[in-house]
C-alpha cells in the first residue's frame, strides 16, 4: 500500500508536467495576444530606441521561436529579465515578493481553518438552532461575495471611517497592517470551510459508531472529540489544496488593493504593463505550487483513513 | 422489589417532514432480574426503537413518551448527565452491524477501554489489561494483537466479539443485544449466541435479545415477547409461546420456522401480506389485515395485553371470547 501511495504520487507528478506546459503555453500566447506592448507607457520613446529594446529582449524574433527560447530557459531555471522593473530579473522579483505573499497566505489559511473549522463544528452541534442558522447565513454571504469586494469595504469601514487600522501598506509586516488583508483573503475560504466542516459533522453524528460511543456513557464532548472529529474532517482535508489555491490567487488582487509588496503586486503590474517574462514566471511558479499543494492535500486526505495510514508503519 | 427494567406506556414517534410515524405504540412490559428475554418481530416492528428510547439513544427527529424505570428510577427523557452514569455501566447495548458500529478511526483496544476508564476509574494501563481480559473472555483469537487492530482489519464475527467485550467490560446488569448475529453466518452465529449464554451464566447479566428470528430467541431466552406494528402481541415463557401460541401472528411465525414446517401436510399457511403502515393508526387489531381468523370485532376494538402481569397472554380477541 505504501508502494501504491508512492506510485500515486509519482503518477500525479508526471501528469503535472503536461499540465504545467499547457499553463505556460496558454499564458504565453494569451499575453502576446493582448493589445499593447511592454514599453507603451514610456510614451514618447524614439521608434529607433524602441526597436533596439525589442531586439535586446528578443521580442523581434518570430513568436514561435520566442516561445521555444523561453521554454528552454525556464527548464534551465531562468525566467529571464523583467521588462518593467529594469534592474531585476524575474526570479529576484519573485524572491522578494514570495515571503510577503506566503506570510499573508499562510496566516489567512490558518485563520480560515481555525475559525471556519470551529464555526462548522459548533454549528453542527447546535444543529437547527440560532447559532447554526446565523453562521450558515453568514457563510452563504461570505461565499457569494468575492474578496476584491470585501477588501475595499473593510478598508473603508475600519480604515477610513473608524480609523482603527491602516488602510494600506506593509510596514514590514506589522500586525495592524496584516489584519484587513488577512480578513479579506480568509473570509471566502472560512465560509466554505465552515460549511464543509458542518456537513462532515452532521453526517458523522448520525453514524452508528457515534451511537455506540454514546451507549458507553461517554459525555458528548468526549464523543465528539474521540469519535467524530477525525472522520468529520475528511471532506475538509480534501479541500485544503483548493483552499490554498483560492487564497493564493485571491492574494494577487488583495495585495494590489492594500498595496502590499507581494508577488501579487508584481503580477498585476506585470500584466498591466505587458511584462511578459514577469507574468509568465509568476504563473509558472504559482501553477507549480498549487499543483504540489493539491497533491499534498490529497495525500493527507488518504492518510486520515487508517486503512491507508496503517501501512506507513 | 421492582423489576430491573419497567416499561410503561412507551411510545416513540418520528417527525418525517409533515407526517408523523409511530414506531412504538403504548408498550408496557418488565424485564426481571437475571432473565433473558427475547424481543421478536419482523423488521420495522419497533424492536430497536423501544430500547434505543429506553437508553436515550433515539435519532434527533424522534420523541419518546411514557415511562422507563431502571430499578425503580425513571430514566426516560432524563438529562444526559444522568443517562451517562447508567449507559455502559448498568445497561449496555450491542448493535447489529459491528462494522458501522465501531469507530473506523480508532483502534479496537481503545474503544473497548473507554467505558472502563470512564466508569471504573481505571488508568490507561489497567483499562488496557481489562480490555485484553475481556477479549479473552469473548474468545478472541490473539487478543493482544487485536487490541491494536482497527475494526476494518477484523472479520464480522471478530467485530461482534469486540462489540460484546465493549458492552460487557463494566459488567452491566443488563445487556441489550440488538440482532447480534443477523450479519453473521450460521456457525459464527451459534458461537456468538453461546458466548451470550456463557456471559449470562458466569456474570449473571440479564439479557434482552432482539431478533427477527424466533428460533434464535428460543435457543437463548427464558421469555419471549412478540412485537408487531409497535405493539406487544404475545408474551410468555419460551415453552409456552412455542407449544401453545395464543396469537395468530405468533402461530404464523412458528409455522414459518423451517424445522416445524417440515411436514407439508400440516403446513400452516405462512403469513401473507405486508405489516401495516407506521404512519397510520387503526382503531382495531393491528394484525387484522393479515389474520385468517379475523372477526368483525377485531377491526373496531383493539385487543390489549399487559405483559407486566408476567403470565402467558396475547393481544387477541380470540382469547377473550
Ligand atoms: N430516524 C428515523 N426517522 C424516521 N423513522 C424511523 C427512524 N428510525 C427508525 N424509524 C422507523 O421506525 C420503525 C421501527 O424501527 P425499528 O425499531 O428500528 O424496527 P426493528 O423492529 O426492525 O428494529 C421503522 O418503521 C423505521 O422505519
Ligand atoms: S384480534 Fe382478531 S384480527 Fe387480531 S389477531 Fe386476534 S383474531 Fe386476528
Ligand atoms: Mg432493528
Amino acid at each position: 500500500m505504501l508502494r501504491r501511495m508512492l506510485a500515486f504520487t509519482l503518477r500525479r507528478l508526471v501528469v503535472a508536467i503536461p499540465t504545467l506546459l499547457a499553463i505556460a503555453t496558454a499564458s504565453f500566447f494569451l499575453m502576446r495576444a493582448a493589445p499593447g506592448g511592454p514599453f507603451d507607457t514610456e510614451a514618447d520613446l524614439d521608434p529607433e530606441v524602441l526597436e533596439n529594446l525589442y531586439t535586446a529582449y528578443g521580442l523581434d524574433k518570430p513568436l514561435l521561436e520566442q516561445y521555444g527560447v523561453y521554454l528552454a530557459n525556464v527548464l534551465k531555471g531562468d525566467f529571464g529579465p523583467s521588462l518593467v522593473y529594469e534592474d531585476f530579473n524575474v526570479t529576484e522579483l519573485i524572491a522578494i515578493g514570495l515571503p510577503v505573499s506566503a506570510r499573508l497566505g499562510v496566516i489567512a489559511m490558518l485563520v480560515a481553518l481555525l475559525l471556519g473549522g470551529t464555526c462548522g463544528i459548533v454549528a453542527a452541534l447546535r444543529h437547527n438552532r440560532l447559532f447554526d442558522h446565523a453562521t450558515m447565513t453568514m457563510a452563504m454571504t461570505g461565499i457569494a461575495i468575492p474578496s476584491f469586494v470585501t477588501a475595499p469595504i473593510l478598508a473603508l469601514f475600519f480604515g477610513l471611517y473608524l480609523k482603527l487600522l491602516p488602510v494600506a501598506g506593509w510596514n514590514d509586516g506589522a500586525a495592524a497592517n496584516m489584519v484587513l488583508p488577512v480578513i479579506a483573503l480568509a473570509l471566502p475560504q472560512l465560509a466554505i470551510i465552515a460549511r464543509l466542516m458542518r456537513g462532515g459533522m452532521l453526517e458523522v453524528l448520525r453514524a452508528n459508531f457515534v451511537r455506540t460511543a454514546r451507549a458507553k456513557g461517554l459525555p458528548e464532548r468526549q464523543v465528539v472529540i474521540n469519535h467524530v472529529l477525525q472522520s468529520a474532517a475528511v471532506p475538509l482535508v480534501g479541500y485544503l489544496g483548493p483552499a490554498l489555491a483560492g487564497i493564493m490567487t485571491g492574494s494577487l488582487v488583495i495585495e494590489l488593493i492594500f498595496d502590499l509588496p507581494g508577488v501579487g503586486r508584481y503580477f498585476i503590474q506585470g500584466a498591466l504593463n505587458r511584462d511578459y517574462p514577469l507574468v509568465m514566471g509568476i504563473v509558472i511558479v504559482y501553477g507549480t505550487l498549487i499543483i504540489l499543494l493539491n497533491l499534498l492535500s490529497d495525500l493527507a486526505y488518504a492518510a486520515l483513513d487508517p486503512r491507508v495510514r496503517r501501512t506507513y508503519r | 422489589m421492582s423489576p430491573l427494567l419497567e416499561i410503561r406506556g412507551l411510545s416513540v414517534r418520528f417527525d418525517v417532514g409533515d407526517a408523523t410515524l409511530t414506531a412504538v405504540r403504548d408498550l408496557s412490559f418488565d424485564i426481571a432480574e437475571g432473565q433473558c428475554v427475547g424481543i421478536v418481530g419482523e423488521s420495522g416492528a419497533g424492536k430497536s426503537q423501544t430500547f434505543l428510547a429506553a437508553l436515550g439513544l433515539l435519532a434527533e427527529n424522534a420523541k419518546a413518551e411514557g415511562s422507563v424505570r431502571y430499578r425503580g428510577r425513571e430514566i426516560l427523557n432524563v438529562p444526559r448527565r444522568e443517562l451517562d452514569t447508567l449507559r455502559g455501566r448498568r445497561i449496555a447495548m450491542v448493535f447489529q452491524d459491528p462494522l458501522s458500529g465501531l469507530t473506523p478511526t480508532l483502534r479496537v483496544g481503545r474503544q473497548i477501554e473507554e467505558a472502563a476508564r470512564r466508569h471504573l476509574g481505571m488508568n490507561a494501563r489497567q483499562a488496557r489489561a481489562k480490555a485484553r481480559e475481556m477479549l479473552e473472555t469473548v474468545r478472541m483469537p490473539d487478543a493482544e494483537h487485536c487490541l491494536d487492530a482497527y475494526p476494518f482489519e477484523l472479520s464480522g464475527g471478530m467485530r461482534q466479539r469486540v462489540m460484546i467485550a465493549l458492552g460487557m467490560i463494566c459488567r452491566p446488569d443488563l445487556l441489550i443485544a440488538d440482532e447480534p448475529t443477523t450479519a453473521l453466518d450460521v456457525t459464527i452465529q451459534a458461537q456468538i449466541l453461546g458466548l451470550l449464554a456463557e456471559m449470562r451464566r458466569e456474570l449473571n447479566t440479564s439479557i434482552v435479545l432482539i431478533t427477527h428470528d424466533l428460533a434464535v430467541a428460543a435457543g437463548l431466552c427464558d421469555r419471549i415477547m412478540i412485537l408487531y406494528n409497535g405493539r406487544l402481541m404475545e408474551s410468555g415463557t419460551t415453552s409456552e409461546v412455542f407449544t401453545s401460541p395464543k396469537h395468530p401472528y405468533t402461530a404464523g411465525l412458528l409455522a414459518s420456522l423451517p424445522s416445524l414446517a417440515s411436514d407439508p401436510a400440516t403446513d400452516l399457511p405462512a403469513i401473507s401480506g405486508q405489516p401495516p403502515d407506521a404512519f397510520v393508526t387503526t382503531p382495531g387489531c393491528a394484525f387484522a389485515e393479515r389474520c385468517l381468523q379475523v372477526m368483525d370485532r377485531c377491526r373496531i376494538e383493539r385487543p390489549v395485553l399487559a405483559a407486566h402481569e408476567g403470565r402467558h397472554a396475547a393481544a387477541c380477541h380470540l382469547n377473550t371470547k
Side-chain angles (χ1 to χ4, degrees):
Chain A
M1 196 78 116
L2 180 57
R3 271 180 51 205
R4 244 198 278 163
M5 294 282 286
L6 272 176
F8 168 79
T9 311
L10 271 179
R11 207 163 47 237
R12 286 279 298 264
L13 289 176
V14 171
V15 176
I17 294 171
T19 312
L20 276 173
L21 192 68
I23 293 172
T25 309
S27 50
F28 182 90
F29 289 104
L30 277 172
M31 278 298 288
R32 295 313 171 95
F39 309 110
D40 289 358
T41 40
E42 296 156 65
D44 21 308
L45 271 187
D46 202 328
E48 210 168 301
V49 177
L50 199 62
E51 203 163 303
N52 284 340
L53 274 172
Y54 267 76
T55 325
Y57 289 113
L59 296 172
D60 54 339
K61 305 227 178 69
L63 199 56
L64 273 180
E65 189 184 331
Q66 287 184 39
Y67 172 65
V69 169
Y70 180 75
L71 282 190
N73 284 337
V74 167
L75 283 182
K76 281 182 270 172
D78 177 10
F79 289 114
S82 164
L83 305 184
V84 176
Y85 299 89
E86 283 160 31
D87 298 328
F88 297 92
N89 68 35
V90 170
T91 312
E92 287 166 347
L93 287 176
I94 294 180
I96 296 170
L98 207 52
V100 172
S101 298
R103 181 153 167 194
L104 189 62
V106 167
I107 295 179
M109 186 69 199
L110 287 178
V111 168
L113 262 182
L114 290 179
L115 246 57
T118 312
C119 284
I121 292 170
V122 177
L125 295 177
R126 304 252 180 288
H127 185 36
N128 275 336
R129 282 188 267 166
L130 186 64
F131 183 89
D132 186 23
H133 292 305
T135 16
M136 284 309 111
T137 312
M138 289 199 303
M140 282 310 291
T141 326
I143 293 168
I145 303 178
S147 51
F148 63 81
V149 176
T150 29
I153 297 176
L154 286 172
L156 274 176
F157 188 71
F158 290 101
L160 294 180
Y161 180 67
L162 291 181
K163 299 202 195 307
L164 276 178
L165 292 161
V167 179
W170 179 238
N171 193 16
D172 281 332
N177 291 62
M178 299 284 280
V179 174
L180 293 182
V182 163
I183 294 178
L185 258 186
L187 264 184
Q189 301 305 329
L190 191 156
I192 295 175
I193 286 170
R195 280 171 56 92
L196 274 176
M197 193 66 206
R198 173 181 178 269
M201 289 281 298
L202 287 180
E203 173 128 10
V204 176
L205 279 170
R206 276 193 291 267
N208 282 345
F209 59 80
V210 172
R211 195 178 56 192
T212 307
R214 287 181 181 142
K216 286 180 204 172
L218 300 181
E220 192 65 10
R221 184 174 38 84
Q222 209 173 329
V223 171
V224 170
I225 292 173
N226 293 350
H227 295 267
V228 177
L229 283 185
Q230 192 177 343
S231 305
V234 168
L236 180 61
V237 172
Y239 179 69
L240 287 184
L244 274 166
I247 283 183
M248 282 168 68
T249 47
S251 184
L252 299 179
V253 184
I254 292 301
E255 287 168 24
L256 188 79
I257 296 175
F258 289 103
D259 192 29
L260 306 177
V263 175
R265 195 172 65 178
Y266 294 128
F267 181 77
I268 305 281
Q269 287 304 328
L272 292 176
N273 295 304
R274 307 286 179 266
D275 189 340
Y276 304 133
L278 182 54
V279 172
M280 296 285 302
I282 294 175
V283 165
I284 291 174
V285 168
Y286 266 43
T288 313
L289 275 176
I290 288 175
I291 287 173
L292 287 179
L293 290 170
N294 266 316
L295 176 59
L296 272 181
S297 152
D298 284 356
L299 288 175
Y301 182 76
L304 260 199
D305 186 340
R307 263 164 261 224
V308 179
R309 192 179 55 206
R310 178 107 233 186
T311 59
Y312 284 111
R313 298 195 304 152
Chain B
M1 201 180 76
S2 51
L4 194 58
L5 203 66
E6 194 178 3
I7 295 185
R8 291 291 174 276
L10 179 68
S11 292
V12 176
R13 293 193 179 79
F14 291 96
D15 282 331
V16 197
D18 294 337
T20 303
L21 178 156
T22 311
V24 178
R25 300 164 188 264
D26 194 17
L27 210 54
S28 299
F29 62 85
D30 291 343
I31 307 286
E33 190 117 27
Q35 269 191 346
C36 177
V37 178
I39 308 289
V40 182
E42 287 166 279
S43 165
K47 308 181 295 292
S48 300
Q49 303 308 324
T50 300
F51 290 92
L52 289 174
L55 285 183
L57 293 170
L58 288 173
E60 247 184 40
N61 61 334
K63 225 170 49 219
E65 275 164 39
S67 159
V68 177
R69 288 172 184 274
Y70 165 79
R71 295 190 188 279
R73 178 176 129 211
E74 181 62 49
I75 61 169
L76 189 70
N77 298 326
V78 298
R80 172 72 178 262
R81 205 187 306 254
E82 271 178 61
L83 278 175
D84 282 344
T85 61
L86 199 82
R87 292 162 164 178
R89 177 68 191 91
R90 305 288 173 199
I91 308 179
M93 191 154 176
V94 166
F95 298 96
Q96 169 173 357
D97 176 8
L99 180 57
S100 69
L102 291 169
T103 304
T105 52
L106 290 182
R107 290 172 205 278
V108 158
R110 172 88 189 278
Q111 300 190 49
I112 301 175
E113 289 157 24
E114 266 178 332
R117 298 192 63 172
R118 160 115 185 110
H119 296 296
L120 307 180
M122 289 185 170
N123 64 27
R125 265 227 340 277
Q126 295 165 322
R128 191 176 166 92
K130 182 80 184 159
R132 205 202 130 108
E133 184 195 315
M134 283 313 296
L135 283 178
E136 277 159 6
T137 310
V138 298
R139 305 261 158 63
M140 179 69 92
D142 199 358
E144 184 66 36
H145 175 79
C146 173
L147 286 173
D148 283 325
Y150 287 98
F152 72 90
E153 294 174 306
L154 305 176
S155 69
M158 284 158 91
R159 284 195 283 260
Q160 196 54 277
R161 285 173 206 271
V162 168
M163 269 289 203
I164 294 173
L166 187 158
M168 291 300 296
I169 192 163
C170 296
R171 299 205 172 189
D173 304 331
L174 177 63
L175 181 74
I176 299 163
D178 190 353
E179 311 251 11
T181 59
T182 302
L184 308 175
D185 67 49
V186 190
T187 349
I188 313 285
Q189 185 171 328
Q191 290 174 9
I192 297 289
L193 290 173
L195 191 64
L196 288 175
E198 199 180 304
M199 293 268 155
R200 182 189 170 203
R201 245 192 343 265
E202 279 166 23
L203 305 177
N204 196 28
T205 314
S206 309
I207 293 181
V208 166
L209 179 69
I210 298 177
T211 176
H212 64 274
D213 188 342
L214 203 44
V216 165
L220 194 67
C221 304
D222 319 314
R223 297 186 65 82
I224 285 180
M225 298 193 194
I226 310 282
L227 240 60
Y228 185 79
N229 189 228
R231 292 184 200 278
L232 197 54
M233 292 288 126
E234 178 156 3
S235 160
T237 65
T238 304
S239 65
E240 281 168 348
V241 169
F242 266 74
T243 52
S244 54
K246 285 188 167 185
H247 199 288
Y249 178 57
T250 314
L253 287 178
L254 284 169
S256 56
L257 286 179
S259 54
L260 294 179
S262 55
D263 182 1
T266 60
D267 222 12
L268 286 162
I271 310 163
S272 63
Q274 292 294 314
D277 198 325
F279 285 100
V280 292
T281 304
T282 53
C285 171
F287 190 59
E289 293 308 313
R290 299 166 85 184
C291 182
L292 296 175
Q293 288 146 279
V294 60
M295 306 167 285
D296 287 344
R297 173 179 179 203
C298 303
R299 298 192 196 276
I300 327 159
E301 190 189 332
R302 179 174 305 127
V304 286
L305 181 164
H308 48 99
E309 287 160 22
R311 54 191 167 78
H312 185 201
C316 173
H317 291 311
L318 291 173
N319 297 296
T320 54
K321 263 190 289 198

